[in-house]
Amino acid sequence: MKKLSFLFLILIIFTPLIRAQQIENIRVKNLPDKLNIIYDLTHEKAGQQFDVKLLCSVDGGASFNTNVVTVNGDIGKNVYGGKDKIIVWDVLKDTKNLRSENVVFKLIATPEKIKNLTDYAQDFDFELIDCFKRNQ
């Protein structure tokens, strides 16, 4: 019985980690002088913001030493979760030549603060504190 109680306790402790955010469906579009990296940041809590970082490797992921500096879009601090997030990388400003058969991108999304969603309607301010999905 003690083993079962211990196992149940471990399951309760690690259950929130199972539903952590995920970066999925990463796509890269090659433009004449830029790269668009498109991704989905899913399974986040309502109002969760992230610090998103983009890393690039030209050796198949053995090291991520390629500078990724000249970027804009859904990168950096205060990025909300969602689908079709876009990072635009001006490749030629950071590196003169990015030609390799082994280019690998790595996206890292570190959870930051949760900012409750708000709205205003006719003299009333609303703030979403929590949201539940009811099983039917």
mmCIF file with all atom_site columns, all heavy atoms in Angstrom, residues 28 35 55-66 89 97-106:
data_model
loop_
_atom_site.group_PDB
_atom_site.id
_atom_site.type_symbol
_atom_site.label_atom_id
_atom_site.label_alt_id
_atom_site.label_comp_id
_atom_site.label_asym_id
_atom_site.label_entity_id
_atom_site.label_seq_id
_atom_site.pdbx_PDB_ins_code
_atom_site.Cartn_x
_atom_site.Cartn_y
_atom_site.Cartn_z
_atom_site.occupancy
_atom_site.B_iso_or_equiv
_atom_site.pdbx_formal_charge
_atom_site.auth_seq_id
_atom_site.auth_comp_id
_atom_site.auth_asym_id
_atom_site.auth_atom_id
_atom_site.pdbx_PDB_model_num
ATOM 1   N N   . VAL A 1 28  ? 10.016 26.075 -42.499 1.00 0.00 ? 28  VAL A N   1
ATOM 2   C CA  . VAL A 1 28  ? 10.954 27.114 -42.924 1.00 0.00 ? 28  VAL A CA  1
ATOM 3   C C   . VAL A 1 28  ? 10.651 27.467 -44.373 1.00 0.00 ? 28  VAL A C   1
ATOM 4   O O   . VAL A 1 28  ? 10.562 26.588 -45.225 1.00 0.00 ? 28  VAL A O   1
ATOM 5   C CB  . VAL A 1 28  ? 12.419 26.641 -42.788 1.00 0.00 ? 28  VAL A CB  1
ATOM 6   C CG1 . VAL A 1 28  ? 13.378 27.712 -43.278 1.00 0.00 ? 28  VAL A CG1 1
ATOM 7   C CG2 . VAL A 1 28  ? 12.729 26.257 -41.354 1.00 0.00 ? 28  VAL A CG2 1
ATOM 8   N N   . LEU A 1 35  ? 14.754 34.306 -44.183 1.00 0.00 ? 35  LEU A N   1
ATOM 9   C CA  . LEU A 1 35  ? 14.102 33.033 -43.889 1.00 0.00 ? 35  LEU A CA  1
ATOM 10  C C   . LEU A 1 35  ? 12.921 33.307 -42.976 1.00 0.00 ? 35  LEU A C   1
ATOM 11  O O   . LEU A 1 35  ? 13.037 34.073 -42.014 1.00 0.00 ? 35  LEU A O   1
ATOM 12  C CB  . LEU A 1 35  ? 15.055 32.076 -43.172 1.00 0.00 ? 35  LEU A CB  1
ATOM 13  C CG  . LEU A 1 35  ? 16.135 31.399 -43.990 1.00 0.00 ? 35  LEU A CG  1
ATOM 14  C CD1 . LEU A 1 35  ? 17.010 30.546 -43.086 1.00 0.00 ? 35  LEU A CD1 1
ATOM 15  C CD2 . LEU A 1 35  ? 15.526 30.544 -45.078 1.00 0.00 ? 35  LEU A CD2 1
ATOM 16  N N   . LEU A 1 55  ? 17.834 29.096 -32.413 1.00 0.00 ? 55  LEU A N   1
ATOM 17  C CA  . LEU A 1 55  ? 19.224 28.678 -32.569 1.00 0.00 ? 55  LEU A CA  1
ATOM 18  C C   . LEU A 1 55  ? 19.376 28.023 -33.933 1.00 0.00 ? 55  LEU A C   1
ATOM 19  O O   . LEU A 1 55  ? 18.440 27.405 -34.449 1.00 0.00 ? 55  LEU A O   1
ATOM 20  C CB  . LEU A 1 55  ? 19.617 27.700 -31.466 1.00 0.00 ? 55  LEU A CB  1
ATOM 21  C CG  . LEU A 1 55  ? 19.393 28.163 -30.024 1.00 0.00 ? 55  LEU A CG  1
ATOM 22  C CD1 . LEU A 1 55  ? 19.723 27.047 -29.045 1.00 0.00 ? 55  LEU A CD1 1
ATOM 23  C CD2 . LEU A 1 55  ? 20.213 29.393 -29.724 1.00 0.00 ? 55  LEU A CD2 1
ATOM 24  N N   . CYS A 1 56  ? 20.566 28.136 -34.510 1.00 0.00 ? 56  CYS A N   1
ATOM 25  C CA  . CYS A 1 56  ? 20.825 27.562 -35.833 1.00 0.00 ? 56  CYS A CA  1
ATOM 26  C C   . CYS A 1 56  ? 22.140 26.791 -35.818 1.00 0.00 ? 56  CYS A C   1
ATOM 27  O O   . CYS A 1 56  ? 23.134 27.246 -35.264 1.00 0.00 ? 56  CYS A O   1
ATOM 28  C CB  . CYS A 1 56  ? 20.882 28.678 -36.878 1.00 0.00 ? 56  CYS A CB  1
ATOM 29  S SG  . CYS A 1 56  ? 21.198 28.088 -38.550 1.00 0.00 ? 56  CYS A SG  1
ATOM 30  N N   . SER A 1 57  ? 22.111 25.626 -36.452 1.00 0.00 ? 57  SER A N   1
ATOM 31  C CA  . SER A 1 57  ? 23.292 24.776 -36.573 1.00 0.00 ? 57  SER A CA  1
ATOM 32  C C   . SER A 1 57  ? 23.526 24.470 -38.046 1.00 0.00 ? 57  SER A C   1
ATOM 33  O O   . SER A 1 57  ? 22.568 24.263 -38.797 1.00 0.00 ? 57  SER A O   1
ATOM 34  C CB  . SER A 1 57  ? 23.066 23.470 -35.808 1.00 0.00 ? 57  SER A CB  1
ATOM 35  O OG  . SER A 1 57  ? 24.089 22.547 -36.101 1.00 0.00 ? 57  SER A OG  1
ATOM 36  N N   . VAL A 1 58  ? 24.771 24.448 -38.461 1.00 0.00 ? 58  VAL A N   1
ATOM 37  C CA  . VAL A 1 58  ? 25.109 24.053 -39.829 1.00 0.00 ? 58  VAL A CA  1
ATOM 38  C C   . VAL A 1 58  ? 25.807 22.692 -39.860 1.00 0.00 ? 58  VAL A C   1
ATOM 39  O O   . VAL A 1 58  ? 26.256 22.247 -40.910 1.00 0.00 ? 58  VAL A O   1
ATOM 40  C CB  . VAL A 1 58  ? 25.983 25.119 -40.535 1.00 0.00 ? 58  VAL A CB  1
ATOM 41  C CG1 . VAL A 1 58  ? 25.191 26.391 -40.765 1.00 0.00 ? 58  VAL A CG1 1
ATOM 42  C CG2 . VAL A 1 58  ? 27.261 25.389 -39.771 1.00 0.00 ? 58  VAL A CG2 1
ATOM 43  N N   . ASP A 1 59  ? 25.882 22.029 -38.694 1.00 0.00 ? 59  ASP A N   1
ATOM 44  C CA  . ASP A 1 59  ? 26.536 20.719 -38.628 1.00 0.00 ? 59  ASP A CA  1
ATOM 45  C C   . ASP A 1 59  ? 25.585 19.634 -38.113 1.00 0.00 ? 59  ASP A C   1
ATOM 46  O O   . ASP A 1 59  ? 25.979 18.739 -37.388 1.00 0.00 ? 59  ASP A O   1
ATOM 47  C CB  . ASP A 1 59  ? 27.795 20.793 -37.770 1.00 0.00 ? 59  ASP A CB  1
ATOM 48  C CG  . ASP A 1 59  ? 27.540 21.307 -36.366 1.00 0.00 ? 59  ASP A CG  1
ATOM 49  O OD1 . ASP A 1 59  ? 26.359 21.401 -35.968 1.00 0.00 ? 59  ASP A OD1 1
ATOM 50  O OD2 . ASP A 1 59  ? 28.519 21.620 -35.663 1.00 0.00 ? 59  ASP A OD2 1
ATOM 51  N N   . GLY A 1 60  ? 24.317 19.746 -38.495 1.00 0.00 ? 60  GLY A N   1
ATOM 52  C CA  . GLY A 1 60  ? 23.352 18.719 -38.147 1.00 0.00 ? 60  GLY A CA  1
ATOM 53  C C   . GLY A 1 60  ? 22.903 18.717 -36.699 1.00 0.00 ? 60  GLY A C   1
ATOM 54  O O   . GLY A 1 60  ? 22.327 17.747 -36.231 1.00 0.00 ? 60  GLY A O   1
ATOM 55  N N   . GLY A 1 61  ? 23.180 19.768 -35.959 1.00 0.00 ? 61  GLY A N   1
ATOM 56  C CA  . GLY A 1 61  ? 22.754 19.868 -34.566 1.00 0.00 ? 61  GLY A CA  1
ATOM 57  C C   . GLY A 1 61  ? 23.832 19.526 -33.565 1.00 0.00 ? 61  GLY A C   1
ATOM 58  O O   . GLY A 1 61  ? 23.576 19.515 -32.363 1.00 0.00 ? 61  GLY A O   1
ATOM 59  N N   . ALA A 1 62  ? 25.047 19.268 -34.033 1.00 0.00 ? 62  ALA A N   1
ATOM 60  C CA  . ALA A 1 62  ? 26.151 18.984 -33.110 1.00 0.00 ? 62  ALA A CA  1
ATOM 61  C C   . ALA A 1 62  ? 26.488 20.230 -32.284 1.00 0.00 ? 62  ALA A C   1
ATOM 62  O O   . ALA A 1 62  ? 26.815 20.131 -31.105 1.00 0.00 ? 62  ALA A O   1
ATOM 63  C CB  . ALA A 1 62  ? 27.380 18.495 -33.873 1.00 0.00 ? 62  ALA A CB  1
ATOM 64  N N   . SER A 1 63  ? 26.412 21.396 -32.911 1.00 0.00 ? 63  SER A N   1
ATOM 65  C CA  . SER A 1 63  ? 26.614 22.663 -32.195 1.00 0.00 ? 63  SER A CA  1
ATOM 66  C C   . SER A 1 63  ? 25.693 23.702 -32.823 1.00 0.00 ? 63  SER A C   1
ATOM 67  O O   . SER A 1 63  ? 25.325 23.593 -33.985 1.00 0.00 ? 63  SER A O   1
ATOM 68  C CB  . SER A 1 63  ? 28.069 23.123 -32.287 1.00 0.00 ? 63  SER A CB  1
ATOM 69  O OG  . SER A 1 63  ? 28.398 23.423 -33.630 1.00 0.00 ? 63  SER A OG  1
ATOM 70  N N   . PHE A 1 64  ? 25.318 24.674 -32.042 1.00 0.00 ? 64  PHE A N   1
ATOM 71  C CA  . PHE A 1 64  ? 24.450 25.749 -32.517 1.00 0.00 ? 64  PHE A CA  1
ATOM 72  C C   . PHE A 1 64  ? 25.212 27.061 -32.410 1.00 0.00 ? 64  PHE A C   1
ATOM 73  O O   . PHE A 1 64  ? 24.911 27.903 -31.586 1.00 0.00 ? 64  PHE A O   1
ATOM 74  C CB  . PHE A 1 64  ? 23.146 25.777 -31.711 1.00 0.00 ? 64  PHE A CB  1
ATOM 75  C CG  . PHE A 1 64  ? 22.243 24.624 -32.025 1.00 0.00 ? 64  PHE A CG  1
ATOM 76  C CD1 . PHE A 1 64  ? 22.360 23.427 -31.342 1.00 0.00 ? 64  PHE A CD1 1
ATOM 77  C CD2 . PHE A 1 64  ? 21.299 24.725 -33.031 1.00 0.00 ? 64  PHE A CD2 1
ATOM 78  C CE1 . PHE A 1 64  ? 21.539 22.355 -31.641 1.00 0.00 ? 64  PHE A CE1 1
ATOM 79  C CE2 . PHE A 1 64  ? 20.467 23.662 -33.346 1.00 0.00 ? 64  PHE A CE2 1
ATOM 80  C CZ  . PHE A 1 64  ? 20.588 22.476 -32.653 1.00 0.00 ? 64  PHE A CZ  1
ATOM 81  N N   . ASN A 1 65  ? 26.224 27.223 -33.265 1.00 0.00 ? 65  ASN A N   1
ATOM 82  C CA  . ASN A 1 65  ? 27.121 28.366 -33.199 1.00 0.00 ? 65  ASN A CA  1
ATOM 83  C C   . ASN A 1 65  ? 26.814 29.455 -34.213 1.00 0.00 ? 65  ASN A C   1
ATOM 84  O O   . ASN A 1 65  ? 27.465 30.501 -34.206 1.00 0.00 ? 65  ASN A O   1
ATOM 85  C CB  . ASN A 1 65  ? 28.570 27.905 -33.381 1.00 0.00 ? 65  ASN A CB  1
ATOM 86  C CG  . ASN A 1 65  ? 29.020 27.009 -32.243 1.00 0.00 ? 65  ASN A CG  1
ATOM 87  O OD1 . ASN A 1 65  ? 28.560 27.153 -31.123 1.00 0.00 ? 65  ASN A OD1 1
ATOM 88  N ND2 . ASN A 1 65  ? 29.901 26.067 -32.539 1.00 0.00 ? 65  ASN A ND2 1
ATOM 89  N N   . THR A 1 66  ? 25.867 29.244 -35.104 1.00 0.00 ? 66  THR A N   1
ATOM 90  C CA  . THR A 1 66  ? 25.541 30.254 -36.105 1.00 0.00 ? 66  THR A CA  1
ATOM 91  C C   . THR A 1 66  ? 24.777 31.393 -35.443 1.00 0.00 ? 66  THR A C   1
ATOM 92  O O   . THR A 1 66  ? 23.782 31.166 -34.755 1.00 0.00 ? 66  THR A O   1
ATOM 93  C CB  . THR A 1 66  ? 24.691 29.637 -37.237 1.00 0.00 ? 66  THR A CB  1
ATOM 94  O OG1 . THR A 1 66  ? 25.415 28.533 -37.790 1.00 0.00 ? 66  THR A OG1 1
ATOM 95  C CG2 . THR A 1 66  ? 24.399 30.643 -38.316 1.00 0.00 ? 66  THR A CG2 1
ATOM 96  N N   . TRP A 1 89  ? 14.018 36.037 -40.206 1.00 0.00 ? 89  TRP A N   1
ATOM 97  C CA  . TRP A 1 89  ? 15.450 36.159 -39.979 1.00 0.00 ? 89  TRP A CA  1
ATOM 98  C C   . TRP A 1 89  ? 16.106 36.741 -41.221 1.00 0.00 ? 89  TRP A C   1
ATOM 99  O O   . TRP A 1 89  ? 16.040 36.151 -42.296 1.00 0.00 ? 89  TRP A O   1
ATOM 100 C CB  . TRP A 1 89  ? 16.049 34.800 -39.644 1.00 0.00 ? 89  TRP A CB  1
ATOM 101 C CG  . TRP A 1 89  ? 17.526 34.809 -39.370 1.00 0.00 ? 89  TRP A CG  1
ATOM 102 C CD1 . TRP A 1 89  ? 18.291 35.858 -38.965 1.00 0.00 ? 89  TRP A CD1 1
ATOM 103 C CD2 . TRP A 1 89  ? 18.423 33.705 -39.480 1.00 0.00 ? 89  TRP A CD2 1
ATOM 104 N NE1 . TRP A 1 89  ? 19.607 35.485 -38.812 1.00 0.00 ? 89  TRP A NE1 1
ATOM 105 C CE2 . TRP A 1 89  ? 19.707 34.152 -39.123 1.00 0.00 ? 89  TRP A CE2 1
ATOM 106 C CE3 . TRP A 1 89  ? 18.257 32.381 -39.846 1.00 0.00 ? 89  TRP A CE3 1
ATOM 107 C CZ2 . TRP A 1 89  ? 20.818 33.325 -39.126 1.00 0.00 ? 89  TRP A CZ2 1
ATOM 108 C CZ3 . TRP A 1 89  ? 19.368 31.554 -39.845 1.00 0.00 ? 89  TRP A CZ3 1
ATOM 109 C CH2 . TRP A 1 89  ? 20.635 32.035 -39.482 1.00 0.00 ? 89  TRP A CH2 1
ATOM 110 N N   . ASN A 1 97  ? 27.026 33.484 -45.800 1.00 0.00 ? 97  ASN A N   1
ATOM 111 C CA  . ASN A 1 97  ? 26.667 32.307 -46.565 1.00 0.00 ? 97  ASN A CA  1
ATOM 112 C C   . ASN A 1 97  ? 26.109 31.238 -45.626 1.00 0.00 ? 97  ASN A C   1
ATOM 113 O O   . ASN A 1 97  ? 26.789 30.803 -44.711 1.00 0.00 ? 97  ASN A O   1
ATOM 114 C CB  . ASN A 1 97  ? 27.909 31.787 -47.302 1.00 0.00 ? 97  ASN A CB  1
ATOM 115 C CG  . ASN A 1 97  ? 27.571 30.731 -48.316 1.00 0.00 ? 97  ASN A CG  1
ATOM 116 O OD1 . ASN A 1 97  ? 26.414 30.387 -48.517 1.00 0.00 ? 97  ASN A OD1 1
ATOM 117 N ND2 . ASN A 1 97  ? 28.586 30.217 -48.967 1.00 0.00 ? 97  ASN A ND2 1
ATOM 118 N N   . LEU A 1 98  ? 24.897 30.826 -45.867 1.00 0.00 ? 98  LEU A N   1
ATOM 119 C CA  . LEU A 1 98  ? 24.291 29.768 -45.062 1.00 0.00 ? 98  LEU A CA  1
ATOM 120 C C   . LEU A 1 98  ? 23.943 28.610 -45.993 1.00 0.00 ? 98  LEU A C   1
ATOM 121 O O   . LEU A 1 98  ? 22.795 28.303 -46.230 1.00 0.00 ? 98  LEU A O   1
ATOM 122 C CB  . LEU A 1 98  ? 23.040 30.276 -44.337 1.00 0.00 ? 98  LEU A CB  1
ATOM 123 C CG  . LEU A 1 98  ? 22.425 29.301 -43.337 1.00 0.00 ? 98  LEU A CG  1
ATOM 124 C CD1 . LEU A 1 98  ? 23.324 29.123 -42.133 1.00 0.00 ? 98  LEU A CD1 1
ATOM 125 C CD2 . LEU A 1 98  ? 21.056 29.779 -42.896 1.00 0.00 ? 98  LEU A CD2 1
ATOM 126 N N   . ARG A 1 99  ? 24.971 27.991 -46.534 1.00 0.00 ? 99  ARG A N   1
ATOM 127 C CA  . ARG A 1 99  ? 24.763 26.860 -47.436 1.00 0.00 ? 99  ARG A CA  1
ATOM 128 C C   . ARG A 1 99  ? 25.313 25.612 -46.772 1.00 0.00 ? 99  ARG A C   1
ATOM 129 O O   . ARG A 1 99  ? 26.495 25.525 -46.469 1.00 0.00 ? 99  ARG A O   1
ATOM 130 C CB  . ARG A 1 99  ? 25.462 27.090 -48.765 1.00 0.00 ? 99  ARG A CB  1
ATOM 131 C CG  . ARG A 1 99  ? 24.856 28.215 -49.552 1.00 0.00 ? 99  ARG A CG  1
ATOM 132 C CD  . ARG A 1 99  ? 25.547 28.353 -50.897 1.00 0.00 ? 99  ARG A CD  1
ATOM 133 N NE  . ARG A 1 99  ? 25.128 29.564 -51.536 1.00 0.00 ? 99  ARG A NE  1
ATOM 134 C CZ  . ARG A 1 99  ? 24.204 29.613 -52.473 1.00 0.00 ? 99  ARG A CZ  1
ATOM 135 N NH1 . ARG A 1 99  ? 23.613 28.520 -52.874 1.00 0.00 ? 99  ARG A NH1 1
ATOM 136 N NH2 . ARG A 1 99  ? 23.870 30.765 -53.006 1.00 0.00 ? 99  ARG A NH2 1
ATOM 137 N N   . SER A 1 100 ? 24.415 24.686 -46.546 1.00 0.00 ? 100 SER A N   1
ATOM 138 C CA  . SER A 1 100 ? 24.802 23.427 -45.934 1.00 0.00 ? 100 SER A CA  1
ATOM 139 C C   . SER A 1 100 ? 23.656 22.444 -46.106 1.00 0.00 ? 100 SER A C   1
ATOM 140 O O   . SER A 1 100 ? 22.493 22.842 -46.155 1.00 0.00 ? 100 SER A O   1
ATOM 141 C CB  . SER A 1 100 ? 25.110 23.611 -44.450 1.00 0.00 ? 100 SER A CB  1
ATOM 142 O OG  . SER A 1 100 ? 25.334 22.363 -43.834 1.00 0.00 ? 100 SER A OG  1
ATOM 143 N N   . GLU A 1 101 ? 23.975 21.176 -46.218 1.00 0.00 ? 101 GLU A N   1
ATOM 144 C CA  . GLU A 1 101 ? 22.951 20.138 -46.270 1.00 0.00 ? 101 GLU A CA  1
ATOM 145 C C   . GLU A 1 101 ? 22.478 19.775 -44.875 1.00 0.00 ? 101 GLU A C   1
ATOM 146 O O   . GLU A 1 101 ? 21.532 19.031 -44.714 1.00 0.00 ? 101 GLU A O   1
ATOM 147 C CB  . GLU A 1 101 ? 23.523 18.888 -46.962 1.00 0.00 ? 101 GLU A CB  1
ATOM 148 C CG  . GLU A 1 101 ? 23.881 19.108 -48.416 1.00 0.00 ? 101 GLU A CG  1
ATOM 149 C CD  . GLU A 1 101 ? 22.658 19.355 -49.285 1.00 0.00 ? 101 GLU A CD  1
ATOM 150 O OE1 . GLU A 1 101 ? 21.618 18.706 -49.045 1.00 0.00 ? 101 GLU A OE1 1
ATOM 151 O OE2 . GLU A 1 101 ? 22.738 20.218 -50.181 1.00 0.00 ? 101 GLU A OE2 1
ATOM 152 N N   . ASN A 1 102 ? 23.147 20.314 -43.842 1.00 0.00 ? 102 ASN A N   1
ATOM 153 C CA  . ASN A 1 102 ? 22.880 19.915 -42.462 1.00 0.00 ? 102 ASN A CA  1
ATOM 154 C C   . ASN A 1 102 ? 22.402 21.061 -41.579 1.00 0.00 ? 102 ASN A C   1
ATOM 155 O O   . ASN A 1 102 ? 22.711 21.105 -40.403 1.00 0.00 ? 102 ASN A O   1
ATOM 156 C CB  . ASN A 1 102 ? 24.156 19.314 -41.852 1.00 0.00 ? 102 ASN A CB  1
ATOM 157 C CG  . ASN A 1 102 ? 24.603 18.080 -42.587 1.00 0.00 ? 102 ASN A CG  1
ATOM 158 O OD1 . ASN A 1 102 ? 23.801 17.226 -42.911 1.00 0.00 ? 102 ASN A OD1 1
ATOM 159 N ND2 . ASN A 1 102 ? 25.895 17.991 -42.873 1.00 0.00 ? 102 ASN A ND2 1
ATOM 160 N N   . VAL A 1 103 ? 21.641 22.002 -42.149 1.00 0.00 ? 103 VAL A N   1
ATOM 161 C CA  . VAL A 1 103 ? 21.122 23.113 -41.350 1.00 0.00 ? 103 VAL A CA  1
ATOM 162 C C   . VAL A 1 103 ? 19.982 22.601 -40.461 1.00 0.00 ? 103 VAL A C   1
ATOM 163 O O   . VAL A 1 103 ? 19.064 21.938 -40.930 1.00 0.00 ? 103 VAL A O   1
ATOM 164 C CB  . VAL A 1 103 ? 20.628 24.270 -42.240 1.00 0.00 ? 103 VAL A CB  1
ATOM 165 C CG1 . VAL A 1 103 ? 19.968 25.353 -41.396 1.00 0.00 ? 103 VAL A CG1 1
ATOM 166 C CG2 . VAL A 1 103 ? 21.777 24.854 -43.035 1.00 0.00 ? 103 VAL A CG2 1
ATOM 167 N N   . VAL A 1 104 ? 20.081 22.911 -39.168 1.00 0.00 ? 104 VAL A N   1
ATOM 168 C CA  . VAL A 1 104 ? 19.069 22.513 -38.196 1.00 0.00 ? 104 VAL A CA  1
ATOM 169 C C   . VAL A 1 104 ? 18.701 23.741 -37.373 1.00 0.00 ? 104 VAL A C   1
ATOM 170 O O   . VAL A 1 104 ? 19.582 24.483 -36.934 1.00 0.00 ? 104 VAL A O   1
ATOM 171 C CB  . VAL A 1 104 ? 19.599 21.402 -37.256 1.00 0.00 ? 104 VAL A CB  1
ATOM 172 C CG1 . VAL A 1 104 ? 18.594 21.087 -36.171 1.00 0.00 ? 104 VAL A CG1 1
ATOM 173 C CG2 . VAL A 1 104 ? 19.956 20.158 -38.046 1.00 0.00 ? 104 VAL A CG2 1
ATOM 174 N N   . PHE A 1 105 ? 17.392 23.955 -37.176 1.00 0.00 ? 105 PHE A N   1
ATOM 175 C CA  . PHE A 1 105 ? 16.919 25.030 -36.323 1.00 0.00 ? 105 PHE A CA  1
ATOM 176 C C   . PHE A 1 105 ? 16.387 24.442 -35.031 1.00 0.00 ? 105 PHE A C   1
ATOM 177 O O   . PHE A 1 105 ? 15.801 23.369 -35.023 1.00 0.00 ? 105 PHE A O   1
ATOM 178 C CB  . PHE A 1 105 ? 15.807 25.840 -37.008 1.00 0.00 ? 105 PHE A CB  1
ATOM 179 C CG  . PHE A 1 105 ? 16.298 26.617 -38.173 1.00 0.00 ? 105 PHE A CG  1
ATOM 180 C CD1 . PHE A 1 105 ? 16.100 26.157 -39.459 1.00 0.00 ? 105 PHE A CD1 1
ATOM 181 C CD2 . PHE A 1 105 ? 16.971 27.810 -37.992 1.00 0.00 ? 105 PHE A CD2 1
ATOM 182 C CE1 . PHE A 1 105 ? 16.562 26.870 -40.545 1.00 0.00 ? 105 PHE A CE1 1
ATOM 183 C CE2 . PHE A 1 105 ? 17.436 28.539 -39.065 1.00 0.00 ? 105 PHE A CE2 1
ATOM 184 C CZ  . PHE A 1 105 ? 17.234 28.065 -40.349 1.00 0.00 ? 105 PHE A CZ  1
ATOM 185 N N   . LYS A 1 106 ? 16.590 25.179 -33.958 1.00 0.00 ? 106 LYS A N   1
ATOM 186 C CA  . LYS A 1 106 ? 16.081 24.780 -32.647 1.00 0.00 ? 106 LYS A CA  1
ATOM 187 C C   . LYS A 1 106 ? 15.377 25.978 -32.040 1.00 0.00 ? 106 LYS A C   1
ATOM 188 O O   . LYS A 1 106 ? 15.952 27.061 -31.945 1.00 0.00 ? 106 LYS A O   1
ATOM 189 C CB  . LYS A 1 106 ? 17.247 24.333 -31.765 1.00 0.00 ? 106 LYS A CB  1
ATOM 190 C CG  . LYS A 1 106 ? 16.859 23.822 -30.413 1.00 0.00 ? 106 LYS A CG  1
ATOM 191 C CD  . LYS A 1 106 ? 18.110 23.352 -29.682 1.00 0.00 ? 106 LYS A CD  1
ATOM 192 C CE  . LYS A 1 106 ? 17.808 22.690 -28.385 1.00 0.00 ? 106 LYS A CE  1
ATOM 193 N NZ  . LYS A 1 106 ? 19.022 22.214 -27.725 1.00 0.00 ? 106 LYS A NZ  1
#
